Amino acid sequence: AARAGSAVALEPAAALAARVAGKYPNVRTIVADGLPFHEAGGSDAQELGALVAAGVAYLRALTDAGLDVEAAAGQLEFRLAATADQFSTIAKLRAARRLWARVAEVCGFTSPMRQHAVTSPAMLTRRDPWVNMLRTTVACFGAGVGGADAVTVLPFDAAIGKPDAFAARIARNTHAVLLEESKLAGVADPAGGSWYVEKLTDDLAHAAWAEFTAIEGEGGVVASLDSGALAGRLAATWEKRSSRIATRRDPLTGVSEFPNLAEKPVVRAPAPVFAEGGLPRHRYAEGFEALRDASDAYLASHGSRPKIFLATLGPVAAHTARAGFAANLFQAGGIEAVNPGATDDLPGAFRASGARIACLCGTDEAYSTHAADVAASLGAEYVLLAGKGTYDGVDGNVFAGCDALEVLNGLHAKLGVTR
C-alpha cells in the first residue's frame, strides 16, 4: 500500500508463514518495511511509528491465518533506514526495540525484534557520488552500534543506476572493515549509558509511540494510507526538511556545498524500475541536482554554462570570503562564477566575462561606500549582493541562511536555463 498505492491481500503470505513456521524456525517470511515512509520524507519518529503499525498489521494477519502470536512475531523482520546522522541512527534502532517490546508486552509474546538496517536511499546523491561512500560508512557504523541484526550498505552509485562491480565491492567491504578491522561487534550496545544517546532514544521512542497510536486510531496503517492522513503528515515533514536543505542548514557535501562543476559524470546502466503509485520517493539532493541537470543541458546547447560575474570590491583580502561564499552558492545551481580578482576596471571585466548578471562581493564598509556606484556602472541586467543590506541598484541578496534554491531557480529563469 505504501509503495504501490493499493494494498495487496495478506492471506497468501500469511498462509506461507504458517507453513514455514513449523518446518524452518529460522526463516522469516514477512518484512515490515520502514523505508517507504523514510523515503517519503518522514522523520525518524514517523518512520518508527509506521513501521510498528505495519508490524502489528502483520501480526493480526498471521494470527488470523492460524499462527499463535509467538510464532507470528517470529515470522517478522523489520527494515529501517540508517542515515549519515550516526546518533539518530543509533537512537532509532534502540528506540525501535523498545517500541516492539511494548507491543510484545501487550500482546503476550517474547520474540524480539529482528532488525535489518539499509543505508538510506534518500541521502544518496547523483552528483559527486564518491561522497556517498562516506555517508554509507557512517550509516553502517550507526546501524552496527545501534544493534542491527543485519545491515545492507547500498553502493555509492545506487542513485545513478545499476551499480558496477567496484561499487558493489566497496559496499560489501564496508561491513568487513567495520567488523574485522574496527571491531565494531566487540561490545554489546556500546552507546548504552551515554546520557545523550539515552535521552535521544527516550525522546524518539515517545514521539514514535505517539505516531503509532495515531495510526492505530485511524484504523491501522493501511486505512491511514488510504485516507491520506499518514501521507499528509509525511508531506508536512518533507516540506520542513526541504526548507532546511534549500537554505543549506542541512548541507549536502558535493551538491549544495563544495560543488564541482568540472566533475566527470558517473554513468551507469538504468536500474530496474520498482512499483510506483504510493508514497512519493524523495532524495535530499533532488532540488539542487535538477538545477545541475539543467545547467548541463544548457552547456550542451550553448557551449558554455550560465554565468554570473563576481564584482569584487577592494583587495583580495577584503572580498575573498564573500566571493568564495557566493561562488559556492551559485555553483550549487550549475552557474559558473567568474571572479576577476582585484581590479580597478570592474565594468570592463564584466563586459569581457560575457555574463549578464553580477553579484557584488566585498566588506560592509565597501558596500556602504561603493555598492550603488559599482552596481550602476556595470550595466548588468540584475545585480545581487553577497551579504545583507539594501543599496541603490542592488536587486537582491545572498547570505548564509538564504533560500539558495529559490535564488538559483530565479537566476535560471533570468538566464533562460530551462529544464
Side-chain angles (χ1 to χ4, degrees):
R3 276 292 189 220
S6 59
V8 297
L10 294 179
E11 289 79 11
L16 172 64
R19 293 198 304 273
V20 165
K23 290 184 177 181
Y24 310 101
N26 294 325
V27 170
R28 304 199 176 223
T29 54
I30 293 180
V31 174
D33 193 357
L35 263 65
F37 312 103
H38 169 77
E39 291 185 78
S43 66
D44 288 344
Q46 288 171 326
E47 178 189 348
L48 288 182
L51 178 75
V52 173
V56 170
Y58 290 134
L59 275 183
R60 293 184 178 120
L62 291 171
T63 52
D64 288 345
L67 287 176
D68 62 67
V69 70
E70 188 70 46
Q75 288 298 299
L76 300 182
E77 178 181 276
F78 292 82
R79 185 180 295 156
L80 305 91
T83 71
D85 186 335
Q86 64 179 18
F87 288 110
S88 292
T89 296
I90 293 167
K92 180 196 291 187
L93 291 160
R94 300 173 86 248
R97 291 194 293 273
R98 285 181 58 182
L99 295 169
W100 195 243
R102 175 59 178 153
V103 173
E105 181 183 5
V106 173
C107 295
F109 63 87
T110 60
S111 180
M113 172 184 267
R114 180 173 177 81
Q115 296 179 327
H116 174 195
V118 179
T119 56
S120 165
M123 73 177 179
L124 298 183
T125 66
R126 292 173 179 163
R127 298 289 173 161
D128 203 353
W130 314 103
V131 182
N132 290 333
M133 285 189 268
L134 303 179
R135 296 184 179 103
T136 54
T137 298
V138 174
C140 184
F141 172 86
V145 172
D149 297 287
V151 182
T152 293
V153 175
L154 295 180
F156 73 88
D157 54 359
I160 300 171
K162 186 177 179 180
D164 67 2
F166 171 74
R169 183 170 182 267
I170 291 295
R172 180 202 64 192
N173 287 355
T174 301
H175 303 81
V177 171
L178 289 173
L179 283 170
E180 298 176 17
E181 298 184 23
S182 301
K183 306 300 181 186
L184 198 62
V187 178
D189 194 17
S194 160
W195 183 90
Y196 174 69
V197 174
E198 295 290 0
K199 181 68 166 60
L200 187 60
T201 300
D202 189 64
D203 289 347
L204 182 54
H206 281 86
W209 190 258
E211 177 67 25
F212 164 66
T213 54
I215 292 171
E216 286 294 287
E218 292 158 355
V221 66
V222 174
S224 185
L225 286 167
D226 287 343
S227 70
L230 179 53
R233 291 195 295 274
L234 296 172
T237 302
W238 171 245
E239 184 176 356
K240 294 177 182 177
R241 189 191 299 276
S242 296
S243 177
R244 295 196 305 272
I245 294 169
T247 57
R248 304 194 296 175
R249 288 185 174 89
D250 288 352
L252 304 171
T253 302
V255 181
S256 67
E257 295 281 5
F258 312 113
N260 177 14
L261 292 187
E263 71 173 283
K264 184 178 180 180
V266 175
V267 180
R268 295 289 184 266
V273 177
F274 296 99
E276 299 291 349
L279 295 173
R281 302 176 82 159
H282 295 295
R283 286 186 307 104
Y284 303 151
E286 61 189 27
F288 286 97
E289 290 186 340
L291 292 169
R292 296 282 295 278
D293 291 344
S295 173
D296 286 352
Y298 187 94
L299 172 64
S301 61
H302 292 75
S304 63
R305 292 194 182 276
K307 296 178 182 178
I308 188 166
F309 179 78
L310 304 184
T312 49
L313 308 183
V316 171
H319 68 243
T320 189
R322 278 179 167 157
F325 163 82
N328 189 46
L329 187 151
F330 297 133
Q331 289 168 0
I335 299 173
E336 180 185 350
V338 180
N339 186 339
T343 177
D344 294 328
D345 185 16
L346 283 173
F350 174 72
R351 290 190 297 271
S353 72
R356 295 156 43 200
I357 293 176
C359 179
L360 306 185
C361 302
T363 63
D364 290 341
E365 182 180 0
Y367 291 157
S368 62
T369 306
H370 302 294
D373 291 339
V374 172
S377 70
L378 292 174
E381 297 176 11
Y382 189 77
V383 178
L384 291 167
L385 181 140
K388 298 181 179 179
T390 302
Y391 304 92
D392 290 341
V394 173
D395 302 299
N397 302 76
V398 291
F399 50 88
C402 73
D403 191 325
L405 274 180
E406 182 179 29
V407 169
L408 294 169
N409 276 299
L411 291 176
H412 271 222
K414 289 177 172 57
L415 292 168
V417 183
T418 57
R419 296 187 185 181

